[in-house]
Amino acid sequence: MGYRILDAGDVPGYLGERGHWDDLDDIHVREVSDGNLNHVFLASDSAGTRSLAVKQALPWVRVAGPSWPLSPDRSDAEARAYAQIAKVAPDKIPAIHGYDAENHVLVMEDLSDLAVLRTHLNEGGSYGPSTSVRIGELVAQLSFATSDFGMPSAERKALIAASVNPELCKITEDVVLSEPYVEHEHNHWHPGLDDLAAAFRADTRLRTEVADLRHVFMTSGQALLHGDLHTGSVMAGRRDGAELVRVFDPEFSFVGPIGFDLGLYWANVLVSEARADALGTEGDHAEQLRLSWEGFEAEFRRLWPSRIDTFFDDAYLERFLGRVWTESVGFAGTELIRRVIGFAHLTDLTTLPDPLQLTASRRSLLLGRELVLHRAELTDPQSVRHRLGDLTG
Ligand code: SR1
Ligand code: MG
């Protein structure tokens, strides 16, 4: 069924009709669409005292246009994910003021006083002292609450059924977890990477390991995920002197392997490290992997005694965390690889001038392969750091 696709001129009327805005003589709207899929508008009054963000899912991939159709029902997955996160980590997402399922529109808190983490890092900014810890905590809070440790069995089965997100999962299965390893029209890369792109396609060992991770992604229903937790899905900054971290855009959410969320974040901080290293910028981006893992692990361990099924004993927790760690390392590797030779490259790299772009891209690609192939041997953040150091030379 058709629905109303909004442009900036439609937003005041829309917000008025839906009861989100009273004085339609004092509203200014600008489009700030930035991600790959949707339209986003910011509405504010002239005094700057009131503002809202309006996000609408289009029936296609925004950056590709109608030639790549995509069901706008992904907004349901996003609204559902926000509702789940709001139960356990309301301080880590934007406030949601309304969801209009018919028109696939979310009306949310305007976070534009904060910065998109990727943009901030690209501009030479550093992480806040607790940015990555908060991200790790969020993953622990959401995943514990929606796992068999935190949710009664029947309720969880209902969550799994309600949260299936086949079209967006298929995008990930394709663009992250298979296309970079075969010939595909979505793939592209810096010409200086021709040798590595060809080598990756010919590497049967790499392909089998990626197949293993892909199958984990397809079959492991550990907990509700954000599903696309890269540094462009994080806003950070300060309000009233306090550090704030907000995660947004959970439209890829589904019940899957927890390591996918951690791994995506890690890959993106490692790319920001590659950029900083190429530019010779100060900062400890690589340390963010350790901080987010420690935030995750500490919060998961804190929640563990409250688990509802005590057949899962303390020894099982150790095994479980070990598995999440190893899968996170592997997924980080796949995300590094696809962001360099697959679809949806990162501005962290694409805005670098040559030869820095080539150096940083090459390093990210090689690190991605290391993480996929050697994830079982890389047993802690320090070992990942050492592997990174080996590649830096
Ligand atoms: C067609 S969507 C491409 C990418 O954009 C999203 O942000 C996800 O990362 C997806 O893989
Ligand atoms: Mg997104």
Side-chain angles (χ1 to χ4, degrees):
M1 199 168 87
Y3 63 101
R4 178 177 168 195
I5 296 184
L6 304 174
D7 63 25
D10 298 323
V11 170
Y14 177 83
L15 289 175
E17 279 165 31
R18 306 283 308 183
H20 293 292
W21 206 279
D22 295 329
D23 183 2
L24 296 183
D25 291 328
D26 187 15
I27 180 169
H28 308 273
V29 175
R30 64 193 166 101
E31 185 178 344
V32 293
S33 309
D34 181 36
N36 292 318
L37 302 184
N38 309 294
H39 277 167
V40 182
F41 305 94
L42 292 181
S44 56
D45 65 8
S46 36
T49 51
R50 178 160 169 65
S51 61
L52 288 172
V54 178
K55 174 174 177 179
Q56 184 173 43
L58 301 173
W60 50 72
V61 172
R62 185 182 72 87
V63 293
S67 66
W68 189 340
L70 190 63
S71 168
D73 291 342
R74 61 187 182 274
S75 59
D76 292 346
E78 180 161 5
R80 232 179 354 248
Y82 275 135
Q84 285 292 339
I85 303 172
K87 292 182 196 170
V88 290
D91 57 330
K92 297 190 183 76
I93 51 171
I96 306 300
H97 298 301
Y99 175 51
D100 167 9
E102 199 180 321
N103 291 298
H104 308 284
V105 174
L106 274 158
V107 178
M108 300 180 281
E109 178 185 4
D110 169 17
L111 296 174
S112 59
D113 57 321
L114 309 178
V116 175
L117 182 56
R118 184 188 311 288
T119 309
H120 173 70
L121 297 172
N122 281 352
E123 289 168 355
S126 46
Y127 296 82
S130 50
T131 309
S132 294
V133 179
R134 295 285 99 83
I135 298 295
E137 280 173 6
L138 167 72
V139 175
Q141 289 160 342
L142 177 62
S143 62
F144 186 88
T146 59
S147 71
D148 282 304
F149 312 128
M151 189 175 266
S153 176
E155 198 183 320
R156 217 181 88 83
K157 301 299 183 283
L159 176 75
I160 294 169
S163 305
V164 289
N165 196 355
E167 273 194 88
L168 274 74
C169 283
K170 184 72 168 74
I171 287 179
T172 302
E173 290 156 19
D174 291 346
V175 304
V176 184
L177 297 167
S178 58
E179 287 172 6
Y181 309 92
V182 296
E183 302 268 3
H184 197 283
E185 62 183 3
H186 285 157
N187 297 336
H188 61 108
W189 52 81
H190 187 290
L193 298 171
D194 281 349
D195 58 336
L196 286 180
F200 280 33
R201 287 197 303 275
D203 188 336
T204 52
R205 187 166 154 238
L206 180 62
R207 184 179 175 139
T208 305
E209 292 306 327
V210 173
D212 187 37
L213 289 160
R214 187 169 188 256
H215 204 214
V216 169
F217 179 86
M218 291 164 134
T219 58
S220 170
Q222 289 175 335
L224 192 72
L225 310 186
H226 175 284
D228 196 24
L229 190 47
H230 54 77
T231 50
S233 299
V234 177
M235 300 205 70
R238 303 188 76 80
R239 257 185 216 166
D240 304 323
E243 186 184 351
L244 292 194
V245 179
R246 297 283 187 271
V247 166
F248 62 103
D249 260 7
E251 66 206 313
F252 281 75
S253 180
F254 75 112
V255 176
I258 299 167
F260 190 73
D261 272 356
L262 291 170
L264 248 60
Y265 184 68
W266 294 355
N268 282 265
V269 303
L270 289 166
V271 170
S272 78
E273 159 72 8
R275 173 186 172 89
D277 193 64
L279 289 168
T281 319
E282 288 291 310
D284 204 355
H285 299 250
E287 197 58 1
Q288 304 305 315
L289 188 158
R290 178 180 70 78
L291 291 169
S292 56
W293 172 254
E294 288 178 359
F296 168 79
E297 185 182 9
E299 184 64 6
F300 211 92
R301 287 186 186 282
R302 190 186 71 76
L303 292 165
W304 184 251
S306 68
R307 67 196 179 282
I308 54 169
D309 185 344
T310 50
F311 190 81
F312 295 112
D313 59 12
D314 290 347
Y316 183 70
L317 172 64
E318 302 311 316
R319 183 183 300 199
F320 181 79
L321 290 174
R323 194 173 290 157
V324 170
W325 161 266
T326 305
E327 289 176 358
S328 303
V329 173
F331 285 125
T334 61
E335 169 76 347
L336 278 164
I337 293 169
R338 81 89 175 218
R339 294 295 192 178
V340 181
I341 59 172
F343 187 74
H345 290 197
L346 300 177
T347 51
D348 314 43
L349 297 174
T350 57
T351 60
L352 282 174
D354 264 330
L356 304 184
Q357 183 176 149
L358 180 57
T359 309
S361 301
R362 220 175 161 82
R363 183 178 158 203
S364 301
L365 205 46
L366 291 170
L367 179 62
R369 182 169 64 182
E370 287 295 299
L371 298 188
V372 171
L373 291 179
H374 301 291
R375 63 191 186 282
E377 300 138 49
L378 298 168
T379 52
D380 55 26
Q382 199 56 23
S383 56
V384 175
R385 248 203 116 138
H386 284 146
R387 202 55 67 111
L388 182 65
D390 294 345
L391 289 170
T392 315

